[in-house]
Amino acid sequence: MPEFKYSNAEKEVEMYGYDEVIKSHCRMCHGGCGVHIYKKEGKIEKIGGDPDCPIAHGTLCPKGIASTQIAYHPDRLTHPLKRVGPKGSGQWEKISWDEALDTIAEKMNGYKKEYGAESILMGYGTGRDNESVIYRFANLLGTPNVLTAGHLCYGPRISTSVITCGSIPVVDYESQPDCVMVWGNNLVIANSDEYKGEALAVSVDKGSKLIVVDPRMTRLAARADIWLQLRPGTDTALALGMANYIIAEELYDKEFVANHVHGWDEFVERVQDYPIDKVSDITWLPEEQIKEAARMFAEADTAGIQWGVAIEQQINCADNNRTLIALMGMTGNLDKKGGQVLFENAKNRNASEFGAHKLLSKEQRAKRLGGDRFRLAGHFAIINPKCAWDAILTEEPYPVKMAMFISSNPVLTRANASEVYKALEKLEFMAVADFFMTPTAELADIVLPASTWLEMDYIGDFWKRHGYILARRKAIQVGECRSDHEMLNELGKRVGQEEYWWDDFEGGLDYILEPLGINFQEFKKMDYIRGEVNYEKYKTKGFSTPTGKLEIYSTMLEKWGYDPLPKYVEPHESPISKPEMTDKYPFILVTGARSPGFFHTENRQLPWLREQHPDPFVEIHPDTARRLGISNGQWVSIESPRGKVRQKAKIFEGIHPQVIGAQHAWWYPEKKEGNYGWKESNINMLTDNSYESCDPAMGSTSVRTLLCNIYPEKQGAK
Ligand SMILES: Nc1nc2c(c(=O)[nH]1)N[C@H]1C(S)=C(S)[C@@H](COP(=O)(O)OP(=O)(O)OC[C@H]3O[C@@H](n4cnc5c(=O)[nH]c(N)nc54)[C@H](O)[C@@H]3O)O[C@H]1N2
Ligand SMILES: Nc1nc2c(c(=O)[nH]1)N[C@H]1C(S)=C(S)[C@@H](COP(=O)(O)OP(=O)(O)OC[C@H]3O[C@@H](n4cnc5c(=O)[nH]c(N)nc54)[C@H](O)[C@@H]3O)O[C@H]1N2
Ligand code: SF4
Ligand SMILES: [Mo]
């Protein structure tokens, strides 16, 4: 492996007189961009891109550059706190780490003894490079209840890929696909999961054809050869319609389907239910456009589907993913160079092994909340949040008494926020680890100050499917902050897990690297390690599924009692499924399209980012705005049967007149009274978390497909 170098950094140091430069990689989102951290007099002065980074090639986004403002922010939590007033009162007292960890451990040990380990909920949010350490802690504690965003984000891509083709297929941008179909994703802003927008943008610059499936005009849609502006939530119908056309026109890879697909004939029969004229009616897309896109994708020599979270936040979540994998496979692009590759990881200990999933007993696993209801999710250690709120509020099927949230702010980011708030208020004990006080942290009993990526040593990206691992190198220490890994390393020793943790967490990093025959100090000197790159492995090894084939017909789903073939179901709340609602709620609401400066609820305290985007906005088509008497920049009310919030109108031609696009995750760190205005603009006051509205296998919540109304806010109202 190459030892790392500092291209261009030495010149910068000389020019600007920095004392030190540290090579690391960012994690202000899902992470992965290589950086140079420039220091002067012990403080970070600047963060710059690392041109040698194999993932981002020196490019950075505004969040990465603004990381210094997070590190040194005056509101940063810098020592553990204990609540001394009622919940939400904002009354806190400084305590020591020992007192904080001893108190949390004492509570955990007590609840475990009295109600069983399942009464303790561990929680985190999206991938922040701490998930495997949290699972390790929970599995060793014996609780099957780890509440994440996995039911509606990435978890569905993992679980449907594993049951369908063994692992997540990743677009092979390094080999320049001839065509990329971007589906429910806005990569150049989101840089999500294993992907960076730079790779897609370069690929399109070099000539890849681009198809975009998105109800809103995005930068990518604007550049696309074909933009399919579908009705929100109708993705599976569109994908099945494309499959119908590709089969009818014989544009599929006959050798591949004959030898490597399980259930092809049944799938061919199923797609007969989705003729293009019917799909056109369902999706609002012209027939010719659907055919043209299907042909462009199928006829390309190499093509990939860049899939995003929008396809998962729907009632059709699992079947959306499965149909897209079917499209990748039937066009011969699966594991093909320049297509959609099943990359192999480096031979380090993987996230699942580190997470100690095997050490959770069968008996405890069987108690996973919602495991019987949402069986695909349960199989992959994922729970639907409502199952957790219900257990807290009703004590059914058993009481949940305590929660520990590490890097999550569920009051803002889980559906039906009023219910979330009520549940968190009812918990007997709650601990939160975060960078700042948040509306969720305000409901806790103990708050722990967490280190940012600038303040830790770690092995980054080891959960991702691009096959790279990179060293994160500690640049500074802020107050008494500790990384999540370090705090769980210490907490674990206090709850009977001594033999599974280390003197300090560097021992954990060595353990991850052990199969590679190196330790962390040695890894720190390297640029990166990558797994072997091999294509078309299925030709010799088959796919890693029960039949060894691509399971378009899923034997696992069949075993769990679900339809083994994908199908389209109308969204739970739509003008077609709920026509009686449309008088009061005439618009389709999509929520949560990503904005460049924020990462969910994060960064609203950072001047560089907030100045560019001071208020939440909701997109409305100009014709609709005119009809409703709404002008650009005006505060409006958005309402659903669950609640009402306010955001500022943004008049936007790139959205259908019947669709409204609202932002998610808004709170106001500057409003200290009323728990930071957690209700005011929080779109999850409007979203539905009822079981019937969720994907029946994955438990995914439909935060993209709802009905709403919108109107000008009365003057002075809040
Ligand atoms: N309506 C609607 N709701 C959505 C979505 C949507 O599109 N629409 N998207 C959903 C999706 S895809 C996801 S993944 C979830 C995200 O939901 P979450 O991941 O729960 O995100 P946040 O609510 O922003 O909470 C993250 C908190 O962790 C803190 N934090 C950040 N990094 C660290 C760290 O390293 N350690 C610690 N201890 N704390 C840290 C931040 O300061 C912040 O307070 O939201 C979901 N909610
Ligand atoms: N800057 C920034 N980056 C982020 C995040 C962030 O909060 N901020 N969050 C991170 C997380 S956890 C995630 S999951 C990813 C998500 O990143 P992406 O997968 O890119 O998701 P979004 O930008 O939320 O949505 C992508 C597109 O889906 C469209 N869409 C909405 N409804 C539908 C629908 O029914 N069908 C289809 N086909 N499209 C639809 C939206 O218009 C939007 O343009 O981003 C990650 N990166
Ligand atoms: S895309 Fe993510 S990893 Fe890259 S600079 Fe931005 S926040 Fe950091
Ligand atoms: Mo996510």
Side-chain angles (χ1 to χ4, degrees):
M1 276 305 133
E3 290 224 344
F4 76 78
K5 51 185 186 290
Y6 280 124
S7 297
N8 83 355
E10 272 121 18
K11 211 164 79 201
E12 292 257 333
V13 169
E14 209 177 291
M15 268 167 67
Y16 299 105
Y18 299 116
D19 298 332
E20 193 185 357
V21 51
I22 296 164
K23 186 181 175 98
S24 190
H25 67 283
C26 176
R27 210 252 60 215
M28 279 286 276
C29 68
H30 296 144
C33 299
V35 296
H36 292 155
I37 303 167
Y38 297 91
K39 286 178 69 179
K40 207 185 238 177
E41 290 165 18
K43 280 192 84 175
I44 297 172
E45 287 268 309
K46 185 180 91 168
I47 292 168
D50 173 3
D52 300 316
C53 169
I55 293 167
H57 309 107
T59 60
L60 295 181
C61 85
K63 302 189 300 304
I65 294 166
S67 299
T68 40
Q69 288 204 325
I70 249 197
Y72 299 122
H73 197 284
D75 292 346
R76 216 21 229 284
L77 294 166
T78 51
H79 41 71
L81 296 171
K82 164 169 97 175
R83 187 163 47 76
V84 291
K87 286 196 181 193
S89 64
Q91 294 169 43
W92 298 91
E93 194 177 277
K94 182 175 166 180
I95 54 171
S96 69
W97 268 105
D98 275 339
E99 183 182 343
L101 294 176
D102 286 345
T103 311
I104 297 170
E106 193 187 302
K107 292 286 177 185
M108 278 184 174
N109 291 331
Y111 289 123
K112 182 172 173 176
K113 197 157 165 227
E114 198 169 343
Y115 301 100
E118 63 277 12
S119 67
I120 302 161
L121 183 70
M122 293 297 294
Y124 69 85
T126 188
R128 290 186 174 90
D129 266 354
N130 56 10
E131 44 290 287
S132 57
V133 82
I134 298 171
Y135 267 115
R136 182 178 185 83
F137 180 87
N139 286 326
L140 294 169
L141 188 69
T143 178
N145 296 324
V146 179
L147 181 63
T148 73
H151 63 301
L152 55 43
C153 174
Y154 198 64
R157 266 164 285 175
I158 298 181
S159 39
T160 53
S161 296
V162 169
I163 63 167
T164 308
C165 59
S167 175
I168 294 195
V170 182
V171 182
D172 188 12
Y173 290 112
E174 286 158 279
S175 308
Q176 175 74 37
D178 290 328
C179 175
V180 182
M181 182 146 70
V182 176
W183 203 306
N185 182 251
N186 193 7
L187 194 62
V188 292
I189 286 181
N191 299 295
S192 27
D193 316 310
E194 38 269 306
Y195 295 108
K196 293 289 151 216
E198 184 249 3
L200 168 60
V202 168
S203 187
V204 176
D205 284 347
K206 286 192 183 158
S208 301
K209 291 223 161 70
L210 183 63
I211 303 166
V212 171
V213 184
D214 197 311
R216 295 168 51 254
M217 167 71 87
T218 60
R219 287 190 217 166
L220 286 167
R223 287 192 74 179
D225 295 277
I226 304 174
W227 171 33
L228 297 160
Q229 188 183 15
L230 84 176
R231 170 163 71 95
T234 61
D235 301 79
T236 316
L238 175 61
L240 288 165
M242 285 186 178
N244 174 308
Y245 181 75
I246 290 169
I247 291 167
E249 296 290 307
E250 299 197 35
L251 300 173
Y252 60 96
D253 183 331
K254 293 190 180 130
E255 191 280 321
F256 183 86
V257 303
N259 296 308
H260 306 292
V261 172
H262 177 71
W264 177 248
D265 293 342
E266 292 87 341
F267 181 67
V268 171
E269 201 182 316
R270 173 60 58 90
V271 303
Q272 301 316 309
D273 296 343
Y274 299 90
I276 298 289
D277 55 343
K278 178 174 158 192
V279 168
S280 166
D281 284 347
I282 297 173
T283 58
W284 295 346
L285 294 168
E287 287 181 39
E288 276 316 307
Q289 208 190 22
I290 302 172
K291 290 183 193 169
E292 199 193 340
R295 183 171 283 280
M296 185 181 280
F297 180 74
E299 283 186 342
D301 277 347
T302 54
I305 299 180
Q306 173 62 53
W307 48 1
V309 83
I311 56 164
E312 301 183 323
Q313 300 181 336
Q314 310 177 6
I315 197 162
N316 291 305
C317 165
D319 282 354
N320 272 344
N321 289 339
R322 292 193 318 120
T323 316
L324 296 191
I325 300 171
L327 284 175
M328 298 166 198
M330 66 195 272
T331 53
N333 283 302
L334 213 49
D335 216 18
K336 179 175 177 179
K337 189 170 169 47
Q340 201 112 18
V341 186
L342 303 166
F343 282 121
E344 289 174 275
N345 281 73
K347 301 268 179 265
N348 53 282
R349 206 159 251 127
N350 67 30
S352 159
E353 206 186 330
F354 187 85
H357 291 282
K358 290 210 172 105
L359 296 180
L360 182 69
S361 70
K362 224 171 145 188
E363 188 194 350
Q364 286 306 100
R365 193 168 305 168
K367 293 182 190 161
R368 179 165 294 134
L369 289 167
D372 283 345
R373 188 191 286 269
F374 301 114
R375 301 194 63 184
L376 177 59
H379 185 76
F380 287 91
I382 290 168
I383 63 179
N384 164 287
K386 184 167 174 60
C387 299
W389 317 140
D390 280 356
I392 297 167
L393 292 168
T394 68
E395 310 217 334
E396 293 294 337
Y398 49 75
V400 167
K401 294 287 186 186
M402 153 169 195
M404 180 166 186
F405 287 104
I406 299 175
S407 66
S408 190
N409 190 355
V411 164
L412 272 302
T413 41
R414 300 300 178 273
N416 195 355
S418 315
E419 185 176 270
V420 178
Y421 205 87
K422 220 184 325 158
L424 299 187
E425 275 187 314
K426 192 184 167 223
L427 279 170
E428 281 184 10
F429 185 85
M430 180 158 115
V432 165
D434 208 300
F435 306 144
F436 294 102
M437 268 299 170
T438 67
T440 299
E442 278 293 354
L443 304 178
D445 295 274
I446 294 224
V447 177
L448 304 172
S451 300
T452 69
W453 64 274
L454 293 162
E455 302 151 45
M456 66 173 78
D457 281 333
Y458 196 60
I459 301 161
D461 279 28
F462 99 111
W463 57 278
K464 294 184 185 170
R465 301 307 195 276
H466 51 38
Y468 290 97
I469 54 170
L470 309 101
R472 182 161 293 131
R473 300 172 182 87
K474 180 167 176 168
I476 50 166
Q477 172 68 39
V478 172
E480 294 176 25
C481 294
R482 291 187 186 177
S483 74
D484 302 323
H485 321 89
E486 287 165 329
M487 47 178 108
L488 289 178
N489 193 53
E490 296 314 308
L491 189 61
K493 292 179 207 165
R494 288 166 161 87
V495 292
Q497 308 174 1
E498 298 83 341
E499 61 179 301
Y500 296 97
W501 298 95
W502 300 271
D503 289 346
D504 59 46
F505 195 69
E506 190 166 323
L509 300 178
D510 292 344
Y511 176 71
I512 293 169
L513 294 168
E514 191 182 84
L516 289 164
I518 52 168
N519 63 27
F520 186 69
Q521 288 307 323
E522 288 159 334
F523 183 51
K524 262 175 98 166
K525 296 188 197 128
M526 296 175 171
D527 227 349
Y528 57 82
I529 295 179
R530 191 183 195 188
E532 265 184 53
V533 178
N534 295 307
Y535 298 104
E536 300 184 4
K537 300 174 282 296
Y538 63 84
K539 287 192 173 161
T540 49
K541 296 187 198 156
F543 288 100
S544 187
T545 58
T547 57
K549 296 197 170 185
L550 168 68
E551 293 203 4
I552 291 184
Y553 181 108
S554 170
T555 55
M556 295 290 279
L557 288 178
E558 186 173 43
K559 194 175 92 185
W560 292 323
Y562 298 103
D563 189 342
L565 290 165
K567 62 173 173 306
Y568 170 71
V569 173
E570 187 59 27
H572 182 68
E573 213 173 84
S574 84
I576 292 166
S577 63
K578 295 273 165 35
E580 69 283 5
M581 281 179 69
T582 52
D583 266 359
K584 212 164 164 203
Y585 304 105
F587 299 103
I588 297 175
L589 176 67
V590 298
T591 73
R594 303 324 189 214
S595 40
F598 303 132
F599 195 66
H600 301 287
T601 62
E602 290 181 55
N603 307 346
R604 285 171 184 72
Q605 308 86 341
L606 309 189
W608 286 351
L609 302 177
R610 185 73 181 276
E611 277 162 17
Q612 296 180 36
H613 190 152
D615 302 305
F617 59 72
V618 50
E619 293 165 341
I620 310 173
H621 190 272
D623 294 348
T624 310
R626 209 171 301 120
R627 192 160 57 76
L628 299 175
I630 292 172
S631 51
N632 198 35
Q634 177 180 6
W635 284 99
V636 293
S637 298
I638 321 163
E639 195 172 343
S640 86
R642 271 81 48 193
K644 183 168 89 172
V645 294
R646 64 196 302 260
Q647 300 197 352
K648 268 189 174 174
K650 178 176 169 182
I651 311 297
F652 181 45
E653 296 239 18
I655 197 160
H656 189 280
Q658 210 184 325
V659 178
I660 301 292
Q663 294 196 313
H664 81 305
W666 268 92
W667 63 300
Y668 299 94
E670 65 278 14
K671 293 188 183 171
K672 306 282 181 212
E673 295 298 311
N675 203 355
Y676 305 104
W678 70 274
K679 285 196 255 196
E680 195 177 320
S681 301
N682 174 2
I683 204 68
N684 280 320
M685 294 296 291
L686 269 59
T687 50
D688 184 7
N689 66 350
S690 63
Y691 292 125
E692 316 78 73
S693 65
C694 298
D695 178 287
M698 197 63 222
S700 176
T701 326
S702 300
V703 296
R704 303 262 163 162
T705 46
L706 303 163
L707 290 176
C708 78
N709 199 2
I710 185 162
Y711 46 88
E713 191 173 65
K714 288 196 197 85
Q715 288 246 306
K718 271 208 178 170

